[in-house]
Amino acid sequence: MTATLEVRDLRTHFFTRAGVVRAVDGVSFAVDRGKVLGLVGESGSGKTVTGFSIMGLVDPPGRITGGSILFKGRDLAGLSEEEMRGLRGNRIAMIFQDPMMTLNPVLRIDTQMIETVQAHERVSRDEARQRARDALGQVGIPSPDERLRSYPHQFSGGMRQRVAIAIALLHKPDLIVADEPTTALDVTIQGQILAEAQKLCRVTGTAMIWITHDLSVVAGLADDIAVMYAGRVVEQGPVDEVLDAPFHPYTVGLIGSVPSRNRRGEPLRQIPGMTPSLLDLPAGCTFRARCPRAEPRCSEPPPMAEYSPGRFARCIHPYNVPEMAA
Amino acid sequence: MTVYLFRRLIQAAGVVLAMSVIVFIGVYAIGDPVEILISPEADQYERERAVKALGLDLPLWQQYLTFLGKALQGDLGRSFVFNEPALKLILQRMPATLELAVGATVAALIIGIPLGLYAGLKPDSPLSKGIMAGSILGFSLPTFWVGLMLILVFAVQLGWLPSTGRGETVEVLGMRWSFLTRDGLAHMVMPAINLSLFKISLVIRLTRAGVRETMLMDYVKFARAKGLSPRRVIMVHVFKNILIPVVTVVGLEFGGTIAFSVVTESIFAWPGMGKLIIDSINVLDRPVIVAYLMIIVLMFIIINLVVDLTYSMLDPRVRLEAKGT
Ligand SMILES: Nc1ncnc2c1ncn2[C@@H]1O[C@H](COP(=O)(O)OP(=O)(O)OP(=O)(O)O)[C@@H](O)[C@H]1O
Ligand code: SF4
Ligand SMILES: [Mg+2]
């Protein structure tokens, strides 16, 4: 069975005046039907740019410079803008990071939903409105008929994100790219939305990429995890295994910096140093300057290696690998 | 809403009162109309009689109170020169100025918005750079010079357009209008363009800045992520947002356009209020000057109110506050 989405060696660069920003530089991963891939990494590691690349929404000075994005076996990078538009919001939907900014402030909710229905299907306004109302109901918005006639500012942040999710669901997409959709929301609402998202994937078979820097969200929601660092995936595998016994020193650092109940009282560990400038990445392993296990060999770029079945890391000196433990 | 309107009206009354004092004192300070109006040969007796007849012998505050009392009854004094009510003189000429200002504003929107949209969407194209350079000219070339050039080219050399007066007019609602006749419209073209030059530049710049800012917004990207056509994204999602600043500024600018039409009206001998006020200033026809300034103040207040109301109609976020919810 082909995966719903398979990204291979994706490269998205920004050609700025200061130089080429390699925001995404050789990213590969796959998501199957009904599965959730958690894409995690620090701020600026290229998560959003990866999402926009899949959507075909990278704007100049940015450009996809290499790799392929296979959606149900079809390479999106080779599609015309017109064909891509037919997929966007229809077969592939995206939910954005900041719910306060994603809805147009001067258009009513019904306008913004009906236009989405009508962009992809020839249906009457009434029918489109009906569909919009059902979608609002589906994401748990009370009295959807009335809410349809409201403007975005009349909703709370959580409600706005629900509207954005409802819009993403209008065409029952095969793939949803959710870019930190709950980061801006409070914890209870976040929990509700996560539960609904998970149910949705299981029931409809929608594949989902859940971008976040919150490992606890990934732990509860995702099937697989891909950890990004400076434009590359440095570790990936099934989420439980990776979080239990991470290979890559960066993943170890990320996990160590999450407050956790069993380590109460211990100081939080921070990853020392800063993300390197994407304009001028160090040769060899890009994590070297911050890595406690760095050694001279790390000045060669480490390849992505499969250290245990289905688990990959881009590190020559990983943690938790049985035969390398000594 | 009613409370809001009521508050605005009280404010407006306060502003008008304050302005009336300033205008009255200001005009009084400009000079003594007696010198201009009364022939130098007139003897002492004749002079005094004239001064008395015009009410110029009373102290300033008394003149002001007389003026205010009459103003409240709709009488802004009689012109020294025409010996007619100043208000009537001005109102007679108001349609000419209004149609010119409205024509200029409409032209500015029709020309400025598409150019601004283009320049905002394709900021790096040579055409956009040309448009922006042109808009700088529109800002900086003096109105009178452009007016003279227009006359020179289109009236004198090419002979395409008439250069003076309003042309043929028709009477509608008791006022005479040019824009309803072919001849009148032809007479309007050049002065309207001349008056709108600054506005076109303003609209281009506002639209372009608005487009560039709005295009970067998340909601525009989200609209694209929904699979909407570029046309719909620009004409609905972007356009509705840039309309807010454009309407606000152009609306507020409208008062300025009327005030500025003085220059254009003089060049094209357009018989509007601007022409009247220039002539009146030359002969220090105080009642007309005062009446004109008062009417302009009133007009500014009305325009601001209308702009506020329109603004709140365009921006749903403001609408709610106005209702006090
Ligand atoms: N238009 C652009 N021009 C230049 N560089 C850009 C542009 N957009 C993104 N980048 C660069 O790409 C890198 C990755 O950005 P991205 O938004 O994908 O990070 P992220 O992982 O989503 O971070 P966050 O968690 O803060 O959302 C950043 O370093 C940013 O500087
Ligand atoms: S390759 Fe070397 S420097 Fe890079 S993460 Fe592994 S041990 Fe650290
Ligand atoms: Mg991001």
Side-chain angles (χ1 to χ4, degrees):
Chain A
M1 192 185 82
T2 49
T4 301
L5 181 80
E6 191 181 346
V7 174
R8 281 192 205 144
D9 198 30
L10 176 68
R11 284 162 207 276
T12 304
H13 296 172
F14 290 86
F15 298 86
T16 65
R17 238 175 251 161
V20 181
V21 179
R22 299 183 156 77
V24 174
D25 203 26
V27 163
S28 306
F29 56 76
V31 208
D32 287 328
R33 223 181 103 78
K35 299 286 185 196
V36 179
L37 170 76
L39 191 59
V40 301
E42 282 173 305
S43 203
S45 54
K47 307 181 297 290
T48 299
V49 174
T50 303
F52 283 151
S53 304
I54 295 168
M55 296 297 293
L57 288 177
V58 179
D59 291 319
R63 184 153 50 82
I64 297 181
T65 55
S68 51
I69 302 166
L70 299 172
F71 175 67
K72 299 208 279 185
R74 201 148 67 119
D75 190 0
L76 298 184
L79 294 188
S80 69
E81 172 56 27
E82 201 63 19
E83 289 170 308
M84 196 61 218
R85 182 148 60 77
L87 290 178
R88 244 184 249 141
N90 183 8
R91 303 326 317 145
I92 312 176
M94 186 159 176
I95 304 163
F96 285 25
Q97 198 157 348
D98 185 355
M100 304 312 268
M101 304 296 298
T102 36
L103 298 173
N104 194 322
V106 302
L107 299 175
R108 288 197 327 207
I109 300 298
D110 54 0
T111 315
Q112 303 194 45
M113 293 189 80
I114 289 170
E115 66 180 3
T116 316
V117 177
Q118 291 185 327
H120 300 291
E121 274 175 54
R122 293 190 150 272
V123 292
S124 70
R125 243 189 111 71
D126 281 343
E127 203 181 325
R129 169 181 291 274
Q130 184 74 29
R131 290 258 293 274
R133 204 183 60 187
D134 294 346
L136 285 187
Q138 201 184 339
V139 295
I141 290 184
S143 49
D145 259 322
E146 199 179 308
R147 295 315 248 158
L148 270 179
R149 285 190 302 273
S150 309
Y151 285 92
H153 71 269
Q154 294 165 302
F155 288 76
S156 67
M159 281 295 164
R160 287 194 214 186
Q161 196 61 300
R162 278 167 198 264
V163 172
I165 294 173
I167 290 176
L169 295 182
L170 279 172
H171 293 280
K172 303 192 171 53
D174 301 312
L175 173 69
I176 295 179
V177 179
D179 187 1
E180 312 204 31
T182 56
T183 311
L185 308 179
D186 68 55
V187 183
T188 35
I189 292 168
Q190 181 173 339
Q192 289 170 10
I193 289 185
L194 289 182
E196 278 159 24
Q198 198 161 31
K199 197 173 83 196
L200 175 88
C201 284
R202 302 284 179 263
V203 174
T204 62
T206 301
M208 181 132 63
I209 297 175
W210 198 278
I211 298 175
T212 180
H213 42 233
D214 187 345
L215 283 175
S216 59
V217 167
V218 176
L221 175 73
D223 300 288
D224 293 301
I225 184 172
V227 181
M228 279 190 79
Y229 183 76
R232 296 203 177 102
V233 174
V234 292
E235 172 156 16
Q236 75 190 103
V239 70
D240 298 335
E241 292 179 37
V242 171
L243 294 183
D244 276 350
F247 290 155
H248 199 282
Y250 176 63
T251 318
V252 173
L254 271 187
I255 296 172
S257 60
V258 175
S260 122
R261 221 172 311 159
N262 10 4
R263 290 202 316 271
R264 188 197 294 265
E266 275 179 49
L268 285 180
R269 274 162 289 166
Q270 256 190 328
I271 307 176
M274 283 192 342
T275 325
S277 157
L278 295 175
L279 275 171
D280 183 24
L281 282 177
C285 176
T286 47
F287 190 57
R288 194 161 31 126
R290 306 168 71 184
C291 180
R293 286 164 76 91
E295 49 178 284
R297 278 192 300 151
C298 300
S299 54
E300 293 293 312
M304 196 68 158
E306 189 167 15
Y307 286 109
S308 78
R311 290 196 50 193
F312 301 82
R314 200 185 278 279
C315 173
I316 49 158
H317 193 187
Y319 287 101
N320 296 321
V321 176
E323 64 269 31
M324 292 182 79
Chain B
M1 198 68 197
T2 339
V3 179
Y4 168 76
L5 265 180
F6 188 69
R7 249 204 337 251
R8 285 296 299 260
L9 286 178
I10 301 227
Q11 277 174 12
V15 172
V16 173
L17 195 68
M19 277 308 294
S20 70
V21 177
I22 296 171
V23 164
F24 206 81
I25 295 177
V27 169
Y28 193 86
I30 303 177
D32 190 351
V34 176
E35 305 299 331
I36 297 170
L37 288 172
I38 300 168
S39 83
E41 284 101 62
D43 61 25
Q44 191 62 21
Y45 176 71
E46 273 178 276
R47 259 179 101 84
E48 266 166 27
R49 211 183 44 178
V51 166
K52 220 179 189 98
L54 295 171
L56 295 173
D57 55 337
L58 299 170
L60 180 60
W61 63 270
Q62 223 167 349
Q63 286 188 33
Y64 173 71
L65 285 185
T66 317
F67 161 78
L68 198 63
K70 284 189 180 162
L72 287 177
Q73 295 157 29
D75 175 9
L76 289 174
R78 290 181 86 82
S79 160
F80 297 158
V81 179
F82 296 91
N83 199 22
E84 271 193 71
L87 193 61
K88 186 177 150 213
L89 277 174
I90 292 169
L91 289 183
Q92 262 172 5
R93 286 163 174 79
M94 192 160 358
T97 299
L98 275 185
E99 71 178 354
L100 196 59
V102 169
T105 303
V106 170
L109 293 175
I110 290 179
I111 299 170
I113 288 181
L115 291 182
L117 266 179
Y118 182 87
L121 291 173
K122 295 201 169 18
D124 295 321
S125 87
L127 183 55
S128 299
K129 292 194 172 137
I131 292 171
M132 295 322 288
S135 80
I136 293 177
L137 285 186
F139 272 131
S140 43
L141 290 181
T143 312
F144 73 89
W145 184 82
V146 176
L148 292 177
M149 287 301 130
L150 285 174
I151 293 177
L152 204 65
V153 175
F154 293 101
V156 179
Q157 305 227 310
L158 297 171
W160 289 353
L161 291 167
S163 66
T164 50
R166 290 182 79 182
E168 206 180 309
T169 58
V170 275
E171 190 166 315
V172 177
L173 301 172
M175 288 174 269
R176 307 213 65 92
W177 304 95
S178 291
F179 75 99
L180 293 171
T181 69
R182 258 189 79 92
D183 181 55
L185 213 53
H187 278 79
M188 233 178 98
V189 171
M190 278 204 292
I193 293 282
N194 188 225
L195 191 57
S196 72
L197 221 54
F198 177 84
K199 278 163 135 17
I200 294 174
S201 303
L202 188 68
V203 172
I204 288 178
R205 298 208 148 239
L206 278 173
T207 309
R208 184 185 102 113
V211 169
R212 299 211 51 191
E213 194 186 313
T214 312
M215 285 304 279
L216 296 178
M217 293 306 219
D218 271 5
Y219 57 75
V220 170
K221 199 137 190 168
F222 189 64
R224 289 164 62 205
K226 296 195 296 190
L228 304 183
S229 64
R231 199 188 151 76
R232 170 129 192 133
V233 172
I234 291 162
M235 296 321 269
V236 177
H237 285 258
V238 175
F239 196 69
K240 271 222 161 185
N241 277 284
I242 57 170
L243 217 51
I244 297 172
V246 171
V247 166
T248 312
V249 175
V250 169
L252 294 176
E253 200 24 48
F254 190 72
T257 311
I258 289 175
F260 256 109
S261 67
V262 169
V263 177
T264 298
E265 284 180 11
S266 305
I267 296 169
F268 292 92
W270 187 265
M273 301 192 297
K275 185 97 176 35
L276 174 69
I277 189 65
I278 285 291
D279 296 344
S280 303
I281 290 173
N282 279 336
V283 294
L284 282 181
D285 194 348
R286 265 192 211 163
V288 177
I289 301 174
V290 172
Y292 171 83
L293 291 177
M294 290 318 294
I295 282 180
I296 291 282
V297 169
L298 215 61
M299 207 127 70
F300 265 94
I301 287 169
I302 293 170
I303 289 167
N304 283 359
L305 190 60
V306 170
V307 169
D308 273 2
L309 294 180
T310 322
Y311 180 83
S312 66
M313 250 159 50
L314 286 172
D315 194 334
R317 289 161 294 191
V318 179
R319 205 179 308 166
L320 213 68
E321 280 159 32
K323 283 184 199 148
T325 346

